[in-house]
Amino acid sequence: MDLSQLTSELEKIGAEAVQLAQGASSTQDIDDIKQNILGKKGRLTKVLRGMGQLPKDERPQVGQAANKVRDTIGEAVAIAESRIEHEARDRLLNVDIDMTLPTALSDLSPMGSHGVGALHPIVRTSEMILSVLDGLGFRRETGPQVEHDFYNFESLNFPADHPARDMQDTFFIEDDVILRTHTSPIQIRALMAQGEPPIRVSGYGAVFRHDQDNTHSPMFHQIEGLWIDQETSFAHLKGVMNTFLKELFGEQLRTRFRPSFFPFTEPSAEVDMSCFQCDGTGVAANRTLNNEHGQCKVCRGTGWVEILGCGMVDPNVINGVGLSSDVYRGFAFGVGVERVAMLRYGIAHIKDFYESDVRFLSQFVGQG
Ligand code: PHE
């Protein structure tokens, strides 16, 4: 090819490429243009290879013409690319979208597309426990979460440096200011505020201990009750515990009291209840509720579930708030809200309560 043939060939390629770009309707079309014309084996490249046959002084002219054609094609391709991108976006936007349809998230809610909120399982469980106590005549009280050593320990018969304090895995703010490790300081505050018994109060709230595994969290919730009067006995404690637990877990429930230790109660007991899942038999009727050894998963085949701590208020506690233990006696009991909720709902990991995963939380909508 001579010079004029080469330049007219270049022009022809350019014009064709521009036309192709203008007609392109997909990114595939664009890729084809790039490959067939500008690519290594493309038509433009081929023509430029033929430049070698031209006399040296004619080559720059062809070079210039080739650059011009390449620019023209590049421009047409860029315009086509952006047009195709816009067309694709328009196609997407022009689809009829019904904004009122439920989203994937609201589909998870048993309340349907309205996504109505619900009480957190811990709040729900607390309310259930507290309302049983309401019915037994306990008045609700709360107190500070950052608590003085006096209310959390000293007044509850934990002397300074007593090893019983080790049981309470305490977070310290200062030497004598801590995050309360239990709800018992609420009882002391209520007692001191009221003065003379009879007193019947329930305390509820978050408590803190540095402890963490599947069933323990550094922050959890307790509910406890205190009943002080002149003739209060261990029989009353048993009666209230039995009534309380039957209200929560059902009439068929049986309890057993095991000796235990708390600094603020004497005698102290741990209360076990007959397992609500296997009715105390150790083997659930529904086999899927048993573990690989054929034992009920809730009580691990023992038939019993540990549920709360309790005892007769230690005379030191009564005397410590300025009352006379010769006149007054009483009992107290404390229960972990998470523990009750985990048992009732069959939850294996305590942290599920705190992760705010709507897929977990929405399971409790509408449950009692
Ligand atoms: N406060 C106790 C604890 O958290 C629980 C408890 C309360 C035990 C009242 C007995 C009586 O360890």
Side-chain angles (χ1 to χ4, degrees):
M1 272 198 266
D2 63 16
L3 175 62
S4 70
Q5 278 175 314
L6 260 178
T7 37
S8 76
E9 179 67 13
L10 281 173
E11 265 162 24
K12 202 172 129 208
I13 293 173
E16 274 178 33
V18 169
Q19 209 174 5
L20 280 173
Q22 283 168 349
S25 61
S26 68
T27 48
Q28 182 60 50
D29 291 347
I30 298 287
D31 288 341
D32 288 345
I33 298 172
K34 285 181 181 167
Q35 199 182 334
N36 297 338
I37 296 174
L38 304 170
K40 263 190 201 152
K41 290 182 187 155
R43 283 167 65 193
L44 187 67
T45 321
K46 240 186 218 157
V47 173
L48 290 177
R49 288 227 180 88
M51 248 166 69
Q53 292 155 14
L54 290 177
K56 259 198 180 134
D57 56 340
E58 290 178 2
R59 288 182 199 165
Q61 248 177 296
V62 181
Q64 270 170 20
N67 283 341
K68 222 174 111 197
V69 169
R70 194 185 277 122
D71 288 347
T72 312
I73 297 174
E75 226 172 85
V77 165
I79 290 168
E81 270 176 328
S82 121
R83 173 177 52 77
I84 287 166
E85 197 186 311
H86 277 92
E87 281 169 0
R89 198 179 305 158
D90 283 351
R91 263 198 303 278
L92 263 182
L93 288 176
N94 283 336
V95 169
D96 270 350
I97 295 174
D98 182 356
M99 297 292 198
T100 64
L101 285 176
T103 63
L105 200 62
S106 58
D107 278 348
L108 290 169
S109 161
M111 301 297 285
S113 58
H114 305 298
V116 171
L119 291 179
H120 189 278
I122 292 301
V123 176
R124 186 185 296 273
T125 306
S126 302
E127 195 46 48
M128 190 176 71
I129 297 171
L130 285 167
S131 65
V132 172
L133 293 178
D134 292 346
L136 291 167
F138 289 82
R139 182 182 86 228
R140 297 187 188 197
E141 289 283 348
T142 55
Q145 296 181 0
V146 177
E147 188 53 283
H148 197 280
D149 180 282
F150 173 79
Y151 294 102
N152 195 86
F153 288 129
E154 199 72 36
S155 62
L156 286 159
N157 201 32
F158 291 80
D161 301 322
H162 193 280
R165 290 193 179 203
D166 284 352
M167 287 163 64
Q168 303 260 328
D169 301 319
T170 312
F171 288 109
F172 287 87
I173 307 274
E174 288 169 18
D175 273 354
D176 56 356
V177 179
I178 60 165
L179 296 182
R180 70 177 174 205
T181 61
H182 50 175
T183 38
S184 303
I186 296 174
Q187 312 289 14
I188 298 296
R189 286 178 176 274
L191 255 180
M192 292 179 81
Q194 177 179 317
E196 291 299 308
I199 186 166
R200 220 186 299 175
V201 287
S202 59
Y204 159 70
V207 300
F208 307 85
R209 295 187 194 185
H210 56 80
D211 195 0
Q212 193 166 19
D213 57 32
N214 278 347
T215 55
H216 295 86
S217 145
M219 188 278 306
F220 60 107
H221 298 79
Q222 283 188 339
I223 292 180
E224 59 179 77
L226 172 75
W227 184 327
I228 294 186
D229 206 339
Q230 297 194 10
E231 301 296 338
T232 330
S233 73
F234 201 93
H236 292 117
L237 169 59
K238 282 190 87 168
V240 169
M241 291 302 90
N242 286 336
T243 311
F244 169 67
L245 291 173
K246 281 185 180 193
E247 288 259 356
L248 282 181
F249 289 98
E251 259 317 297
Q252 76 297 337
L253 178 122
R254 297 176 304 283
T255 52
R256 73 177 182 190
F257 288 64
R258 276 184 293 110
S260 184
F261 171 78
F262 300 104
F264 34 87
T265 48
E266 182 60 35
S268 304
E270 211 93 50
V271 180
D272 295 339
M273 60 182 195
S274 52
C275 178
F276 52 87
Q277 186 151 287
C278 63
D279 196 25
T281 61
V283 181
N286 177 343
R287 284 169 57 201
T288 62
L289 302 176
N290 293 325
N291 64 19
E292 68 271 28
H293 308 297
Q295 303 162 322
C296 168
K297 278 183 196 163
V298 171
C299 64
R300 295 195 194 89
T302 64
W304 294 99
V305 181
E306 187 182 314
I307 189 70
L308 54 78
C310 64
M312 301 305 294
V313 179
D314 194 291
N316 283 348
V317 175
I318 295 183
N319 295 326
V321 295
L323 299 169
S324 167
S325 62
D326 290 336
V327 181
Y328 295 115
R329 63 188 75 200
F331 60 83
F333 54 93
V335 61
V337 179
E338 277 79 355
R339 179 157 177 74
V340 174
M342 289 174 84
L343 286 171
R344 274 184 63 101
Y345 300 124
I347 292 160
H349 301 284
I350 197 168
K351 68 175 169 40
D352 287 341
F353 287 126
Y354 316 119
E355 290 191 329
S356 301
D357 185 335
V358 75
R359 290 168 301 181
F360 172 78
L361 295 173
S362 63
Q363 298 174 75
F364 300 94
V365 175
Q367 279 201 43

